[in-house]
C-alpha cells in the first residue's frame, strides 16, 4: 500500500469515528517528543557549527550518544538534558500540551556580543 493511499485510509477512518488504541496513541506521542528533542539538538548544534563529536566532548558524552539523541533512538534523562543544554550554551525549553509539543534551546549569549 502506498503512503498516500495509507494516509487517505487513515484520514477516512478518523473522520468516521475510528480511534487509535491507547497504546498506539501513547507510542505516537512518545515518538513526537523524541523527534522534537532530536530536531532541537540538531538545529542548535548546527547553529553553533559543531560536529557531533565536538558536542559530545563538550557534554562529556560519546559521539554515538549524540547520534542516538539526534536520531530519536533514546529517551534521555534529566541529567543528560542538563549536560546537553550546558554544552549547547543554552536553556532547554520544553512545552508539553495535548497535541502541541515544543522543544527549543534559547541561547545564553548572542553572537553579536
Amino acid at each position: 500500500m502506498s503512503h498516500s493511499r495509507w494516509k487517505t485510509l487513515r484520514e477516512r477512518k478518523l473522520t468516521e469515528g475510528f480511534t487509535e488504541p491507547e497504546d498506539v496513541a501513547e507510542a505516537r506521542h512518545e515518538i513526537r517528543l523524541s523527534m522534537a528533542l532530536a530536531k532541537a539538538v540538531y538545529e542548535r548544534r548546527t547553529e553553533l557549527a559543531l560536529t557531533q563529536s565536538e558536542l559530545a566532548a563538550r557534554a562529556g558524552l560519546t559521539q554515538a550518544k549524540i547520534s542516538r539523541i539526534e536520531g530519536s533512538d533514546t529517551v534521555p534523562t534529566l541529567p543528560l538534558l542538563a549536560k546537553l543544554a550546558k554544552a549547547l550554551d543554552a536553556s532547554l525549553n520544553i512545552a508539553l500540551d495535548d497535541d502541541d509539543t515544543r522543544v527549543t534551546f534559547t541561547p545564553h549569549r548572542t553572537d553579536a556580543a
Side-chain angles (χ1 to χ4, degrees):
M1 178 182 302
S2 71
H3 176 71
S4 59
R5 185 172 173 207
W6 174 86
K7 188 175 177 185
T8 303
L9 179 62
R10 181 177 178 274
E11 288 171 354
R12 188 171 355 125
K13 284 183 177 182
L14 290 175
T15 59
E16 292 172 356
F18 173 82
T19 57
E20 290 181 319
E22 190 172 321
D23 59 335
V24 172
E26 181 63 29
R28 185 182 308 280
H29 180 70
E30 289 176 12
I31 290 167
R32 276 195 305 267
L33 288 172
S34 183
M35 290 176 69
L37 175 66
K39 182 177 184 238
V41 170
Y42 173 80
E43 288 176 352
R44 179 63 181 154
R45 177 179 65 78
T46 57
E47 182 180 301
L48 294 172
L50 296 173
T51 65
Q52 287 183 348
S53 295
E54 290 168 335
L55 176 57
R58 283 182 169 202
L61 303 169
T62 63
Q63 179 276 327
K65 185 67 172 182
I66 299 298
S67 178
R68 284 193 303 274
I69 292 167
E70 288 186 359
S72 302
D73 295 336
T74 186
V75 178
T77 62
L78 288 175
L80 189 139
L81 291 174
K83 285 181 182 182
L84 278 175
K86 184 175 181 181
L88 292 169
D89 192 26
S91 297
L92 175 59
N93 308 294
I94 302 174
L96 304 173
D97 292 315
D98 288 340
D99 291 329
D100 184 27
T101 299
R102 285 171 279 134
V103 179
T104 58
F105 285 94
T106 304
H108 289 153
R109 297 182 287 244
T110 61
D111 293 334

